[in-house]
Amino acid sequence: MDLRLNINGQERAFQVAPSDRLLDVLRRNGFFGVKHGCETGECGACAVLLDGMPVASCVMLAAQAKGRSITTIETLGDRRALHPIQEAFVENGAIQCGFCTPAMVLAARALLDANPNPSEADVRDALSGVLCRCTGYKKPVEAVLRAAMVLRGETPPPLGGGRPPEPEPVPWIEIPPAAGPALGGPEVGGTLTITRPAIRLVVAPEKPEEGLLNVVGQPEKKVDAAKLVQGKPAFADDVEMRGMLVGKLLLSPVAHAWIKRIDVSKARALPGVHAVLTYQDVPRVVFTTAGQSHPEPGPHDQFSLDKKVRFVGDRVAAVAAKTEAIALQALEMIEVEYDELLAIFDPRKAMEPKAPVIHDEPESWNIVDKERNLAGVIDFEVGNVKEGFKQADHVFEAEYTVQQVQHAAIEPHVCVTWWDEDDRLVIRTSTQVPFHVRRILAPVLGLPPKRIRVIKPRIGGGFGGKQEVLIEDICAHLTIATGHPVRMEYTRAEEFIASRSRHPMIVKMRTGVKSDGTLVANEMTVLSNTGAYGTHAMTVAGNTGHKALALYKAPNIKFHADIVYTNLPVPGAMRGYGVPQGFFPVESHMEDIARKLGLDPLEFRLKNAVKTGDEHPLSRVWSEGREGHAEIIRTCGLAECVERGAAAFGWRLSDRLPSGLEGGGADWRTIPGKPYLRRGQGVALVMQGTAIPYLDMGAASIKLNDDGSFNVLVGATDLGTGSDTVLAQMAAEVLGCPLEDIIIYSSDTDFTPFDKGAYASSTTYISGTAVVKAAQQVAEQIKEVAGAMLGTSASDLYLRDRRAWAPNGRSVSLEEVALESLHHRDQRQIMAVASYVSPESPPPFAAQFAEVTVDTETGQVTVDRLLMAVDSGRIVNPLTAFGQVEGGMTQALGYAVCEEMIYGPRGELLTTKFDDYKIFRAHEMPELGTIFVETVEPSHPFGVKAVAEIPMDGVAPAVANAVLDAVGVRIRELPLTPEKVWWALRTKL
């Protein structure tokens, strides 16, 4: 049918089907700022303005928009002048992955058009229709309020630079005003604090003191913020290709079965269908989807398509067709007869002697015990735990359960594959691990790696879920079969069912303590449910013990984990990577011990926690196969995190219960006039890791251009974390130029250097060091050329303000150096490549505080405040770092109180929509606070440690401890739903 639509003020004609959604028509015609995140209008990523009001274009027929005015993000601003709302999002650091940003900006536009002077509550309500998994909503809300002031003609207050608070303001260096470029900043102690030098005159500045930084540590705008806030085509699905087919998967409706018969003849005969693939049509090559370094430590137990299905949602067949409608029709025409087997969902029963064997195929390997469904076993010990318990005055035991949760990235998994002009297979995919994708897929596809190119565009949220080779193999098989470009994208239901999730675990804690609070023995026993396949099974469970148990330096520590197959959807890597599962039991347990012994919970924890100079308690016994090396903790700001966090939070030390688990009677816990409501505060101390020592490797190349700018190529992937910006800041710092002179690109297996990928909080630390090493080599080459131009020794020069400076005040610009090297002296390209593998994994530390209100009549837990004080080394970019902590705490909050994958009796997932699977919206958020306690980690050139994963670790135990503080009941199973709290209160009563 012919349809005319008014889009961004222009009348346009389209040929559409009656069933076409407005989202499909817009994206098909190049309006890529409209995103697909679900099919039910719940995520809001597809929002457009219809006659000025936000609507979900994924649940609206295109024909329904006839005669209406449609506004998309493409009309708001451009590269010459962003709209004030867009500008505020950029300046305020409100953009992380950027996938939901266009919808947020449009929602803000509608609000401010109707209400130029909104309150914070108004803004949160307006943004509540757009789900964000990255930011925690704090910075987007602040950005909208700032934009409102600008649009009213008011001057907004200074942003404050986004710097983390300092114990005392310390000036960087005292410089006489005449000695160099103009400086700005407040006076501190009679000296001038340098913010960033503004280049006014080319005069010689003083040679910077060691450690004096101009770009690192500054709140720089994200290098990709402008394109993301404009909704430009940046993501995997934002491409148009002639003849591109749509790939779809047929998923199993049963949990455990042999495929007795499969008939695809009718589907293949359907006009518009180009290929239908089953296990009979693709090579039977066993592999693992875990995007880990070679050799992967876990089981290799998967096939692109198999004759056996092992969970509801397992792959049965794949179709490539001209349109999505034809592909879906073809799936319905595939006839499958299943020979059902007994399915097992309980990991305890899965290990019993007569349990059905889930992986009985002979090709799979690296499985510890197929007959007992044991994908893996981990066992390590420091000291002698049995003897340690004999020395203890008190022994405490408890069991805890943590649930399976989904990443819920707003961008689903999406992949596009095609043959290029050189007959090479190109895979454009939303992945965290492009080099692992190429390596893993080569044998699966029967192609040498040199014939595979993997392109990683911008990623709309990863969180570990895109550390898997999940749909790339099927998409590639379809391109190989058809010769056509093929696009595959999960629906939201498929994302929940068939992607990956966090491992559910049953954790037993046993701890021996002296009467004075000294830990003498600590034991953790884990039963981890890895679902139908063992992706990341070993390393996630190992991390549970390695990170969580290591915070407290008991002389005797033991960890045991059984990782068990069941017929449930598959867990894998998820942000925190096993550590949140460990700290919920550890910090709940420590709180109970302190109370029962009548000890102050914070003093008890700090008494036993590791400190600067200690050896990491478990570094010699487990490190993903690289154990045996003692790691010394060189920086630990945990005590200061506790001190500053408690002071900022208003931690009520005097009101903590001296002993027991009974609720207290302090007045502050009771809300006047509402005796059924009780307040409580809780705390948790946590540590994480920074990359994997002797394993994670990053590389970078840097090239000087003839205008004095630099190309930086890195294999590391930016997931919205801001790593591209942070890495560019490090390069700019070494090369003496502003951030705008760094053109950074990540990641393409053809052009960028190798990198293990974005996981394990490795990018800033590992890839950052590689960038610094490459930048240092380039800087030395620049100095060699500049020294010859200035007639001075290269060793006497330093780089600053886009120039190379000699001690006598003479200088040459980087542009002049580039032209000299390229066109005159020596005629050579100034460039360098460097790589880095760390022998260390310096842990970040944090103190997480929570305040809750518990409704004793319903069991409802409302989290009112969260504050995290974090030691993550030096903060390279406060804007992105604050967003990482706020977003991480928000994800962890869902883990604590509401997120859970729930199954029916046949193993079918019931929570397949955002209405069923609850994640927080903007208007539901507690107050968030972040304090950075900056230490300078000596193992990194700029003193950094990790910040991305540690916000996941402490919220759940802190909230559980706050509930205990409020109402005197200990909940040992996540999430803390009203039902669980209500039953616990009734049991107590």
Side-chain angles (χ1 to χ4, degrees):
M1 61 181 281
D2 294 323
L3 180 66
R4 301 189 70 85
L5 296 176
N6 185 320
I7 304 174
N8 298 331
Q10 293 185 351
E11 191 85 8
R12 299 187 56 169
F14 302 98
Q15 186 69 30
V16 304
S19 59
D20 278 349
R21 302 175 301 171
L22 180 58
L23 169 66
D24 300 325
V25 172
L26 290 171
R27 287 192 60 82
R28 209 158 54 217
N29 289 277
F31 294 95
F32 290 117
V34 188
K35 305 299 182 185
H36 164 246
C38 69
E39 300 73 46
T40 51
E42 295 160 335
C43 78
C46 66
V48 298
L49 300 185
L50 196 68
D51 296 334
M53 296 298 294
V55 299
S57 63
C58 75
V59 291
M60 183 177 190
L61 294 176
Q64 291 178 291
K66 184 178 180 180
R68 315 284 292 275
S69 174
I70 302 166
T71 302
T72 73
I73 193 70
E74 282 83 0
T75 195
L76 254 67
D78 56 32
R79 60 182 177 83
R80 295 177 295 273
L82 296 178
H83 188 280
I85 299 174
Q86 294 172 315
E87 189 65 43
F89 267 67
V90 171
E91 291 180 349
N92 226 72
I95 305 166
Q96 288 196 42
C97 82
F99 195 78
C100 65
T101 300
M104 280 194 173
V105 170
L106 289 174
R109 163 81 178 271
L111 168 68
L112 299 184
D113 283 349
N115 179 6
N117 193 14
S119 65
E120 180 178 334
D122 294 332
V123 174
R124 289 187 176 275
D125 183 65
L127 297 184
S128 65
V130 182
L131 287 175
C132 178
R133 196 60 160 163
C134 297
T135 66
Y137 305 102
K138 183 175 181 179
K139 284 190 166 42
V141 170
E142 293 170 351
V144 176
L145 291 170
R146 184 176 184 83
M149 295 187 69
V150 173
L151 290 169
R152 292 195 303 267
E154 302 172 17
T155 302
L159 284 169
R163 289 294 301 145
E166 300 287 348
E168 296 177 12
V170 180
W172 285 350
I173 186 172
E174 187 175 354
I175 299 179
L183 306 173
E187 291 192 4
V188 181
T191 64
L192 202 59
T193 301
I194 300 174
T195 53
R196 187 196 295 180
I199 300 173
R200 309 289 175 88
L201 299 172
V202 182
V203 293
E206 287 188 0
K207 186 173 182 178
E209 289 185 357
E210 190 73 25
L212 176 64
L213 304 176
N214 289 320
V215 184
V216 167
Q218 297 304 310
E220 299 279 3
K221 301 173 186 176
K222 286 187 65 174
V223 295
D224 55 358
K227 72 178 179 185
L228 294 174
V229 82
Q230 295 174 76
K232 288 188 175 182
F235 297 90
D237 194 35
D238 297 345
V239 293
E240 297 175 288
M241 302 192 75
R242 182 173 297 176
M244 186 157 66
L245 305 177
V246 176
K248 297 296 291 183
L249 281 165
L250 179 66
L251 303 181
S252 171
V254 298
H256 198 196
W258 292 102
I259 296 175
K260 187 176 181 180
R261 182 183 70 88
I262 184 165
D263 185 351
V264 300
S265 58
K266 294 178 182 177
R268 283 180 175 154
L270 184 68
V273 171
H274 286 249
V276 180
L277 303 179
T278 72
Y279 70 88
Q280 299 164 330
D281 305 302
V282 297
R284 185 171 174 80
V285 179
V286 68
F287 71 108
T288 173
T289 64
Q292 295 180 279
S293 297
H294 175 77
E296 298 91 347
H300 286 57
D301 55 9
Q302 296 173 75
F303 305 87
S304 286
L305 292 166
D306 198 5
K307 57 187 174 183
K308 186 179 186 181
V309 293
R310 298 173 179 85
F311 70 98
V312 175
D314 209 350
R315 299 167 170 182
V316 175
V319 168
K322 186 177 179 180
T323 67
E324 184 173 11
I326 295 173
L328 292 173
Q329 185 180 356
L331 293 182
E332 293 179 357
M333 298 173 74
I334 298 174
E335 298 176 8
V336 187
E337 185 179 346
Y338 295 98
D339 184 6
E340 286 199 57
L341 305 168
L342 180 65
I344 191 158
F345 310 119
D346 187 332
R348 287 165 291 205
K349 294 180 180 179
M351 291 190 295
E352 293 177 355
K354 294 184 179 181
V357 177
I358 295 171
H359 282 280
D360 50 359
E361 67 278 0
E363 297 93 341
S364 290
W365 55 278
N366 239 16
I367 298 174
V368 168
D369 188 342
K370 291 184 178 183
E371 296 301 316
R372 295 183 61 217
N373 291 312
L374 272 174
V377 174
I378 299 173
D379 197 280
F380 56 76
E381 185 172 12
V382 172
N384 187 316
V385 168
K386 185 176 180 180
E387 291 301 315
F389 282 121
K390 291 179 181 179
Q391 301 166 17
D393 297 320
H394 308 274
V395 176
F396 299 91
E397 298 184 57
E399 183 175 287
Y400 304 83
T401 303
V402 290
Q403 80 280 29
Q404 188 175 9
V405 297
Q406 233 277 331
H407 305 83
I410 307 304
E411 179 200 37
H413 284 78
V414 60
C415 178
V416 181
T417 56
W418 67 92
W419 292 111
D420 71 7
E421 62 277 9
D422 295 315
D423 199 31
R424 298 174 70 229
L425 183 70
V426 182
I427 303 173
R428 178 183 168 99
T429 179
S430 182
T431 180
Q432 299 174 227
V433 286
F435 287 92
H436 291 325
V437 170
R438 183 179 64 177
R439 174 180 53 80
I440 291 170
L441 286 189
V444 172
L445 302 176
L447 294 172
K450 66 184 178 183
R451 289 194 61 200
I452 301 173
R453 175 187 175 190
V454 179
I455 301 171
K456 187 280 312 175
R458 185 55 61 233
I459 297 176
F463 318 120
K466 291 168 183 172
Q467 195 185 328
E468 303 270 350
V469 185
L470 209 55
I471 58 175
E472 293 88 348
D473 62 321
I474 290 292
C475 199
H477 279 308
L478 290 171
T479 285
I480 292 170
T482 65
H484 282 260
V486 176
R487 168 188 167 273
M488 290 194 72
E489 182 179 20
Y490 273 156
T491 65
R492 181 51 56 182
E494 288 170 339
E495 191 72 23
F496 276 110
I497 296 167
S499 68
R500 298 296 182 250
S501 52
R502 191 182 297 285
H503 287 78
M505 296 182 184
I506 300 168
V507 183
K508 294 180 180 179
M509 292 293 303
R510 188 167 182 244
T511 304
V513 194
K514 293 285 190 182
S515 294
D516 65 356
T518 302
L519 296 182
V520 292
N522 215 3
E523 183 176 19
M524 176 186 284
T525 304
V526 168
L527 180 59
S528 178
N529 185 343
T530 194
Y533 299 103
T535 173
H536 293 275
M538 293 287 290
T539 45
V540 165
N543 242 23
T544 302
H546 181 259
K547 300 295 189 297
L549 281 177
L551 179 59
Y552 298 108
K553 52 180 181 181
N556 306 288
I557 302 174
K558 183 174 175 57
F559 176 77
H560 180 87
D562 291 322
I563 305 107
V564 183
Y565 288 118
T566 63
N567 294 114
L568 288 178
V570 186
M574 187 170 177
R575 189 178 185 182
Y577 205 77
V579 185
Q581 294 100 306
F583 269 116
F584 173 66
V586 165
E587 284 302 280
S588 299
H589 202 56
M590 293 301 160
E591 181 75 16
D592 289 352
I593 292 171
R595 286 171 175 253
K596 288 178 178 178
L597 295 181
L599 303 172
D600 178 270
L602 286 175
E603 291 180 0
F604 167 67
R605 287 174 167 90
L606 288 176
K607 173 187 177 74
N608 291 285
V610 293
K611 300 173 178 61
T612 302
D614 286 345
E615 181 180 314
H616 185 294
L618 299 175
S619 60
R620 295 178 188 265
V621 293
W622 196 86
S623 184
E624 299 195 20
R626 269 72 178 175
E627 47 274 338
H629 304 279
E631 293 180 43
I632 303 301
I633 296 170
R634 304 195 192 189
T635 52
C636 176
L638 186 59
E640 189 176 352
C641 289
V642 168
E643 180 182 355
R644 291 179 58 188
F649 193 71
W651 180 251
R652 298 174 183 270
L653 288 171
S654 61
D655 289 333
R656 298 276 74 82
L657 296 176
S659 62
L661 297 178
E662 295 77 18
D667 290 339
W668 73 272
R669 290 187 178 86
T670 302
I671 297 176
K674 297 181 179 179
Y676 56 92
L677 296 181
R678 297 277 295 171
R679 289 195 188 100
Q681 290 186 345
V683 69
L685 306 191
V686 293
M687 68 181 283
Q688 186 73 35
T690 301
I692 305 167
Y694 299 99
L695 177 65
D696 285 344
M697 188 272 267
S701 71
I702 301 179
K703 173 174 71 76
L704 174 64
N705 298 316
D706 51 11
D707 64 349
S709 66
F710 299 89
N711 287 108
V712 177
L713 300 179
V714 292
T717 54
D718 192 329
L719 316 178
T721 58
S723 64
D724 279 359
T725 307
V726 166
L727 298 181
Q729 284 180 263
M730 295 185 195
E733 188 67 61
V734 175
L735 296 168
C737 67
L739 183 62
E740 65 193 55
D741 288 354
I742 303 292
I743 304 113
I744 189 165
Y745 180 79
S746 66
S747 166
D748 182 322
T749 56
D750 267 13
F751 303 130
T752 58
F754 179 83
D755 194 284
K756 294 292 179 67
Y759 61 84
S761 292
S762 63
T763 304
T764 302
Y765 183 77
I766 298 291
S767 304
T769 302
V771 166
V772 171
K773 290 176 68 176
Q776 288 169 339
Q777 294 177 44
V778 169
E780 291 306 311
Q781 295 174 41
I782 290 170
K783 291 175 187 179
E784 288 175 11
V785 176
M789 295 170 69
L790 295 170
T792 187
S793 171
S795 61
D796 291 333
L797 301 179
Y798 63 94
L799 305 182
R800 183 172 168 187
D801 304 336
R802 294 184 169 121
R803 306 183 74 82
W805 295 90
N808 60 9
R810 296 178 62 226
S811 67
V812 291
S813 70
L814 298 183
E815 180 179 4
E816 291 169 328
V817 171
L819 293 172
E820 179 74 9
S821 66
L822 291 171
H823 300 288
H824 301 291
R825 194 183 310 269
D826 296 335
Q827 289 188 265
R828 64 182 175 116
Q829 173 67 65
I830 292 178
M831 69 179 301
V833 179
S835 58
Y836 181 69
V837 178
S838 176
E840 303 185 45
S841 175
F845 297 89
Q848 177 71 63
F849 297 86
E851 184 169 294
V852 304
T853 300
V854 181
D855 187 325
T856 58
E857 294 182 352
T858 66
Q860 177 67 46
V861 176
T862 301
V863 180
D864 302 310
R865 292 192 295 147
L866 292 174
L867 182 140
M868 178 170 255
V870 192
D871 161 27
S872 289
R874 175 175 274 140
I875 302 302
V876 178
N877 189 328
L879 280 180
T880 58
F882 273 112
Q884 284 289 285
V885 176
E886 291 157 5
M889 282 196 289
T890 304
Q891 286 186 343
L893 178 61
Y895 190 50
V897 299
C898 58
E899 293 187 37
E900 185 174 16
M901 295 172 68
I902 299 174
Y903 296 95
R906 292 175 56 84
E908 71 276 22
L909 184 65
L910 304 178
T911 48
T912 60
K913 300 188 299 182
F914 282 126
D915 269 2
D916 302 325
Y917 184 89
K918 175 66 182 173
I919 70 175
F920 276 80
R921 295 183 179 270
H923 68 298
E924 300 167 324
M925 288 296 298
E927 176 186 324
L928 299 178
T930 304
I931 297 172
F932 285 113
V933 174
E934 289 193 88
T935 56
V936 180
E937 170 57 42
S939 64
H940 186 274
F942 289 119
V944 309
K945 295 192 283 190
V947 72
E949 292 189 293
I950 196 167
M952 296 298 303
D953 298 341
V955 172
V959 168
N961 290 337
V963 170
L964 169 66
D965 188 53
V967 295
V969 297
R970 165 61 69 197
I971 312 295
R972 294 189 172 88
E973 180 179 353
L974 291 180
L976 304 176
T977 58
E979 295 87 348
K980 291 174 189 169
V981 177
W982 189 88
W983 276 110
L985 285 169
R986 295 305 172 273
T987 302
K988 173 194 170 186
L989 295 176

